[in-house]
Amino acid sequence: MDVLIDNADVFVSGFWLTLQLCVLSATGALLIGTIVAAMRISPVPSLRWAGATYVTLVRNLPLTIVFFLTSFGLPELGSNADFLRVPGLSSVFDRLGIDLPYFRFAVIALSVYTAAFVCEAIRSGVNAVPAGQAEAARSLGLTFRQNLLSIVLPQAWRAAIVPLGSVIIAMIKNSALAGAFGVTGELFSSGQNLTSSGGNPIIPVFIGISIGYLIMTVPLGIFIDRVENRRAVAR
Amino acid sequence: MRLKRFAALAAVSVLAFGAAACGGEDPGTTPTTSKFEAGTTMEKLSTAGKITIGTKFDQPGFGLKGLDGKPAGFDVEIGKIIAAELGISADKINWIATPSAVREEVLEKGDADVVIATYTINDKRKQRIDFAGPYYVAGQHLMVRSDDSSITGPDSFKDGAKKVCSVQGSTPATNIEKFLKDKATQLVLFDVYTKCVDALKNKQVDAVTTDNVILLGYVSQSNGAYKLTGSKFTDEPYGIGVKKGDAKFRAFINDLLEKIYADGRYAKAWTDTAGKFDANVPTGPAVNRY
Amino acid sequence: MSHEPLIVLDAVNKWFGDLHVLRDVNLTVERGEVVVVIGPSGSGKSTLCRAVNRLETINSGSIRFDGKELPAEGRALAKLRSEVGMVFQSFNLFAHKSILDNVTLAPIKVRGESKASARARGMQLLERVGIANQANKLPAQLSGGQQQRAAIARALAMQPKAMLFDEPTSALDPEMVGEVLDVMTSLAKEGMTMIVVTHEMGFARAAADRVVFMADGQLVEQAPPAEFFGDPKSERARDFLSKVLSH
Ligand SMILES: Nc1ncnc2c1ncn2[C@@H]1O[C@H](COP(=O)(O)OP(=O)(O)OP(=O)(O)O)[C@@H](O)[C@H]1O
Ligand SMILES: [Mg+2]
C-alpha cells in the first residue's frame, strides 16, 4: 500500500484530469444527446432520419473506433478541434486550451459516443410522458420547439434521470480509453505507467485507480437515487 | 542434494567417455573435415550441415520476411555469418519466426539452435538462456519529419515548445520525461506506436521516441518522410541467444563476433541492411564473456 | 371577419389504415353556435373533433376555419390552433406546472403577453371556473372536476374563437360532472362557438343549438335538440337513443 502513498501525486493528478475530462464530456454528451433526441421526435422527416442514423451509427461502433475517428480523422481533415479552446473554460480545464489537441479529441469522442446513449435515455423519458401532454401543448398553439422545451423535456428529464445516470457512469468508466489516445496522465494510464514501466506491484496500484473511479461514480449513483426517490414521493 | 549432484556428474562423465570411445572405435563415420571439438554444438551442427535460426519476421532492418518467404536484415546477416563459420551455406539455414514472447521457449525446447532477434540482454532472461554478444547496442532515439531540423536530441525538448510521442507504460516514455519542461503540454502517449507515427505525420507531435530499431522500421517504410535525429540516449544491448549452459557455443560465437568486427564483415552486414536507414555503422560492442 | 360559417367541413374523409373513420363528412358550424356530437363508440366523433384543429390530418376533402383552409404545418398551424380551444377527456394539464402556470403558459409563450397581465387574466379565469384558491397547486393535487375546469380555463386564456370538447366529463366521477357542465353551459350562453362530443344528453337538450348524430364515420342525422330527441328520423339514431336514454 506504500505505492499509493508514495505516488499520491500521480493518483491525484490522474484523478483530477479524468474528472475534468468527464465533466466536459458529460456536458457535451447531454447537450448533443438532447439535440439528437429532439431531432428523433421532431415532425420533420429528414431530421428524424438524421437523428436515427446518428444513433444507429454511433451506438453500434466500438468506442475505440470513435476515438480513432476523432484523434486521427479530425487532424486528417485539418482540425485540431480549436473551437473547444474557449477562453473562460480553458482557465478551469487547462488541457482544453493547450496546443496538443488530444484532450479536446477525447472530449469530442466521449461526448459524441455517449450522446447516442443520452439520446435514447431521453427518448425513453419522452415516451414516458403521456401523449396528451404534447397534444395539449399543440392545441394551445405552442410550436414544436416550445412544446419540447417547456412541456415535454422537463417531464422527460424526470423519467430519464435514472437511465441517464447509468449512461454517465458508463462514460466515466469509458474515459479510461482516453489514455490510449494521447491524453497523457489520465487516471487509468497513470496507473499503468506505475506498474509497467515504474515496476510497482499491480494490485495496490489498481486498487488506487479503482478508488479514483469510485470517488466519481459512487456519489453520482447516490445522487441519482436521491433524485429518483424524491420523484417517486412527488408522484 | 549432494548425492544427486554427484550422480549427475557421474552420468555426464560416462556419456563423455562413451562418446570419446565411439569416436575412437570408428573414426570413419565422422567427417574428417570437422574442425570442431567432438561433442560440441558446433561439431553437431557442422556435421549435420544445417541449422535452425530464430529471428524476427516483422522488424524492418533487422529481420523482415520478404516476398521470397525468407527474412532479411542485420540479424539475418549475423545468422548467415555464424552458419558460414560452421560450414553451412545460407540456403541450408532453416529460419523460424521468433516474436518476443517465444524466444526463451524455442531455445529451451531445442526448436532453434540460436536466436538472433533484437534480443535485449538482461538478467531475467539469463536465468533461462545464455547470451553471446552483445553484437549491437540499440537505444532510445528520436524520429522526426525529414524536413524538420529543429530537433537535434532530447535536449531540444527542454524549452517546452516541442512535442513528443511514445507508448503508455513503456520505458522510453518514462525516460523522455526528464527532458521535458511540461509533461502535460509536451508528451503524448498512445497504446501503440503506429498512432504516434500518425500523429507525427499530422504534425500534432514533432517527434516519436522509442528504441532506434523500432524507429528504423518506420523510417524504412516512410518513403523518406521521417528520419532519426541526434544519437541514441539509452543503451539496450542485443545478444545472441543460445541454450542455457552451452558455454562452448557461446564462446565460439563471441570469438566470431570479435573476428567480424575486425575483418569488415560486421560493417558490411550493417550497410547491406539497417544501414540503408541509418548510415552510421555501429562499432561492434565489446562482447561479455560472463 | 368573413361571413362564411366559422367552421366548414366539406367532404372530409379519413382512414386509419384500412379503417374508414370519417366518410364524406359535411358539417358547418355558425359563429356562436353550439353543436353537440353524439353517437356510438368508435363512430369517429373524437376524430372529427380533433381534425378541426388538425391534431388528426385528413385524407381528402377540406376543413375551413374562419374563412381559411387549415394550414398544413408550422407557425400558421400553431396560430390556428391558438384560436381553437380544446378540452380533452383526460384533462391533459401540464403535470409539472401549477394550475396558474398551466393557464398562463400559452398566453406568455404563444401570444407574448406580459407575465403580470397573463397572471391577472389567469386568476380571473380561475375565479370564473371556481378554482382560484387552487391556483398554486399542481394538477395531481386537484380532483378530476377541478382539473377539467382548470383545463377549460387554460383553453379560454387564449381567447379562442371556438372551443372543442372531446367527452369532457367521461373521465369524471358522477358527482363532479355537474360542475364541469355548468361551466360549459355558461360558456354556451355567452355565445362561444362550441363543438361538444358528449354522452350527456341533458347538456345536449339544455345547451345545444344542434345535435349531430354520427355512426360508422358518417353524419347520419342532425337537428335541433328538441326535434332530434323528440322525433329521431333514422333507425340508427332511434336505436342509439333507446339504449342511452333507458339508463
Ligand atoms: N390513432 C389511431 N390509429 C388507428 N385507429 C384509430 C386511431 N384513433 C382512432 N382509431 C379508430 O378510429 C375509429 C374512430 O375513433 P374515434 O376515437 O374517432 O371514435 P369515437 O366516436 O370518438 O369513439 P369513443 O366514443 O369510444 O371515444 C375507432 O375504431 C378507433 O379505434
Ligand atoms: Mg372519442
Side-chain angles (χ1 to χ4, degrees):
Chain A
M1 283 300 133
D2 286 349
V3 188
L4 295 188
I5 296 150
D6 295 346
N7 298 292
D9 57 329
V10 177
F11 286 105
V12 169
S13 70
F15 172 81
W16 174 230
L17 185 60
T18 292
L19 184 66
Q20 292 185 30
L21 176 63
C22 289
V23 167
L24 288 169
S25 305
T27 311
L30 289 174
L31 270 175
I32 301 172
T34 307
I35 292 170
V36 178
M39 289 166 71
R40 289 207 68 177
I41 57 178
S42 89
V44 185
S46 60
L47 286 183
R48 279 205 302 274
W49 180 86
T53 307
Y54 178 96
V55 171
T56 310
L57 266 183
V58 175
R59 193 173 55 163
N60 294 311
L61 284 177
L63 176 56
T64 320
I65 291 183
V66 178
F67 260 104
F68 226 98
L69 290 175
T70 56
S71 301
F72 299 99
L74 286 178
E76 208 73 52
L77 299 172
S79 169
N80 266 351
D82 288 327
F83 62 90
L84 282 178
R85 294 169 94 156
V86 187
L89 272 187
S90 311
S91 57
V92 184
F93 304 96
D94 45 4
R95 284 284 176 102
L96 213 50
I98 65 173
D99 266 358
L100 277 178
Y102 295 102
F103 183 79
R104 295 191 291 277
F105 290 156
V107 169
I108 295 175
L110 281 173
S111 299
V112 162
Y113 179 76
T114 312
F117 297 89
V118 167
C119 167
E120 293 307 275
I122 290 180
R123 221 161 57 92
S124 78
V126 167
N127 288 337
V129 177
Q133 295 284 311
E135 219 159 55
R138 266 191 285 158
S139 79
L140 285 166
L142 271 72
T143 60
F144 173 74
R145 216 180 98 90
Q146 292 171 326
N147 196 345
L148 205 61
L149 292 180
S150 345
I151 307 302
V152 176
L153 283 183
Q155 297 187 65
W157 277 114
R158 298 174 192 204
I161 187 89
V162 173
L164 276 179
S166 312
V167 167
I168 299 300
I169 287 172
M171 189 206 76
I172 292 173
K173 296 186 286 181
N174 283 338
S175 74
L177 202 56
F181 287 89
V183 181
T184 312
E186 155 276 339
L187 181 58
F188 182 74
S189 56
S190 301
Q192 275 191 311
N193 271 346
L194 286 179
T195 56
S196 74
S197 71
N200 288 296
I202 287 180
I203 304 275
V205 167
F206 276 81
I207 288 175
I209 299 177
S210 307
I211 292 172
Y213 283 105
L214 292 176
I215 291 176
M216 288 181 267
T217 49
V218 170
L220 181 59
I222 292 173
F223 170 75
I224 299 289
D225 281 353
R226 282 266 173 83
V227 175
E228 163 73 350
N229 285 341
R230 238 197 341 224
R231 186 168 62 105
V233 169
R235 242 187 323 218
Chain B
M1 195 64 217
R2 210 168 254 179
L3 209 69
K4 254 188 198 160
R5 198 184 288 166
F6 175 78
L9 258 173
V12 168
S13 36
V14 167
L15 271 177
F17 277 117
C22 271
E25 262 175 21
D26 191 2
T29 55
T30 43
T32 47
T33 53
S34 180
K35 55 186 177 179
F36 299 107
E37 188 184 336
T40 60
T41 307
M42 295 78 83
E43 189 249 10
K44 193 190 83 194
L45 292 170
S46 69
T47 306
K50 58 186 187 205
I51 184 172
T52 299
I53 304 179
T55 191
K56 292 267 177 79
F57 274 26
D58 57 358
Q59 185 59 63
F62 279 70
L64 180 67
K65 192 171 161 176
L67 292 175
D68 59 355
K70 293 204 167 139
F74 184 59
D75 281 348
V76 172
E77 290 308 309
I78 298 290
K80 287 179 185 165
I81 290 169
I82 294 172
E85 193 72 7
L86 294 168
I88 301 166
S89 60
D91 59 319
K92 287 287 188 317
I93 303 173
N94 175 29
W95 296 101
I96 62 169
T98 49
S100 301
V102 307
R103 292 177 297 198
E104 290 83 17
E105 196 187 329
V106 295
L107 286 170
E108 285 173 336
K109 283 167 61 183
D111 291 343
D113 300 304
V114 54
V115 169
I116 315 166
T118 63
Y119 204 176
T120 303
I121 300 173
N122 68 32
D123 289 340
K124 225 174 106 207
R125 289 172 180 162
K126 276 188 197 166
Q127 288 170 9
R128 292 178 66 185
I129 58 127
D130 273 324
F131 282 108
Y135 63 100
Y136 179 73
V137 182
Q140 191 168 346
H141 219 135
L142 292 165
M143 180 172 84
V144 297
R145 290 181 292 273
S146 295
D147 56 7
D148 184 353
S149 54
S150 62
I151 295 174
T152 51
D155 288 333
S156 300
F157 296 105
K158 285 195 165 144
D159 64 1
K162 297 287 177 184
K163 305 175 195 73
V164 61
C165 187
S166 194
V167 163
Q168 51 179 191
S170 68
T171 313
T174 313
N175 288 339
I176 196 72
E177 269 188 40
K178 57 178 172 286
F179 294 99
L180 304 177
K181 191 172 173 197
D182 179 5
K183 184 174 140 185
T185 57
Q186 289 185 277
L187 180 61
V188 175
L189 300 178
F190 290 112
D191 50 353
V192 291
Y193 288 110
T194 46
K195 290 180 182 169
C196 280
V197 178
D198 241 322
L200 181 65
K201 184 184 87 189
N202 288 327
K203 303 196 177 177
Q204 258 86 37
V205 298
D206 306 296
V208 177
T209 188
T210 181
D211 284 4
N212 59 338
V213 170
I214 295 173
L215 293 177
L216 276 178
Y218 294 116
V219 169
S220 74
Q221 293 164 348
S222 76
N223 277 325
Y226 314 126
K227 65 178 184 193
L228 297 190
T229 185
S231 48
K232 58 187 197 295
F233 50 96
T234 67
D235 283 345
E236 294 276 341
Y238 284 176
I240 295 169
V242 300
K243 200 171 198 133
K244 179 91 185 145
D246 196 345
K248 286 188 174 154
F249 192 33
R250 186 152 61 86
F252 161 77
I253 296 174
N254 281 333
D255 291 345
L256 174 59
L257 285 174
E258 280 170 349
K259 200 156 75 182
I260 66 172
Y261 291 168
D263 68 11
R265 275 188 283 170
Y266 177 79
K268 183 172 187 312
W270 180 265
T271 41
D272 285 352
T273 57
K276 286 174 187 150
F277 322 118
D278 181 1
N280 303 321
V281 178
T283 36
V287 297
N288 176 10
R289 300 173 188 270
Y290 58 89
Chain C
M1 218 193 249
S2 141
H3 293 289
E4 166 177 324
L6 187 60
I7 302 168
V8 180
L9 281 75
D10 183 22
V12 170
N13 280 287
K14 164 82 182 171
W15 278 268
F16 283 120
D18 289 339
L19 191 64
H20 200 169
V21 200
L22 296 179
R23 300 168 184 251
D24 273 326
V25 171
N26 296 297
L27 177 71
T28 59
V29 180
E30 297 292 341
R31 290 167 202 279
E33 192 181 15
V34 176
V35 172
V36 168
V37 182
I38 63 174
S41 184
S43 56
K45 308 182 297 290
S46 294
T47 308
L48 174 75
C49 199
R50 294 160 57 82
V52 173
N53 70 353
R54 221 173 143 72
L55 285 179
E56 299 288 0
T57 56
I58 56 173
N59 297 105
S60 72
S62 84
I63 301 179
R64 298 171 66 80
F65 182 84
D66 201 12
K68 280 173 297 208
E69 192 75 21
L70 293 191
E73 55 192 23
R75 298 208 161 261
L77 177 60
K79 180 164 185 305
L80 169 272
R81 284 176 175 154
S82 75
E83 293 174 349
V84 182
M86 175 121 191
V87 176
F88 302 86
Q89 180 175 347
S90 50
F91 329 136
N92 295 348
L93 288 174
F94 304 132
H96 61 307
K97 295 205 176 284
S98 73
I99 297 300
L100 184 58
D101 286 345
N102 263 274
V103 176
T104 58
L105 178 92
I108 294 170
K109 297 257 175 214
V110 178
R111 292 271 157 80
E113 193 172 339
S114 78
K115 254 193 180 142
S117 132
R119 290 177 79 86
R121 283 200 313 110
M123 283 311 294
Q124 278 171 18
L125 285 165
L126 291 178
E127 198 81 52
R128 174 172 164 192
V129 300
I131 50 168
N133 54 347
Q134 313 288 332
N136 295 316
K137 291 192 180 162
L138 284 174
Q141 298 169 288
L142 270 59
S143 74
Q146 289 171 324
Q147 288 194 50
Q148 193 60 301
R149 285 185 278 154
I152 294 173
R154 176 176 70 178
L156 290 175
M158 293 302 280
Q159 296 163 317
K161 293 176 179 162
M163 289 278 283
L164 310 171
F165 294 84
D166 187 7
E167 305 202 30
T169 57
S170 299
L172 296 178
D173 290 339
E175 74 270 22
M176 293 174 187
V177 170
E179 65 195 46
V180 172
L181 289 181
D182 287 347
V183 172
M184 290 169 59
T185 309
S186 77
L187 260 184
K189 291 218 174 83
E190 286 161 25
M192 174 63 75
T193 309
M194 295 163 62
I195 297 179
V196 183
V197 177
T198 186
H199 296 294
E200 295 296 331
M201 298 305 157
F203 174 80
R205 274 188 220 271
D209 297 306
R210 186 161 34 120
V211 176
V212 171
F213 176 70
M214 275 189 86
D216 293 333
Q218 284 172 307
L219 295 197
V220 177
E221 187 171 346
Q222 40 183 319
E227 186 184 327
F228 177 78
F229 289 111
D231 180 21
K233 298 282 180 295
S234 63
E235 180 65 35
R236 302 205 54 169
R238 275 198 296 278
D239 189 43
F240 176 75
L241 284 176
S242 73
K243 278 178 194 150
V244 286
L245 294 178
S246 64
H247 291 298

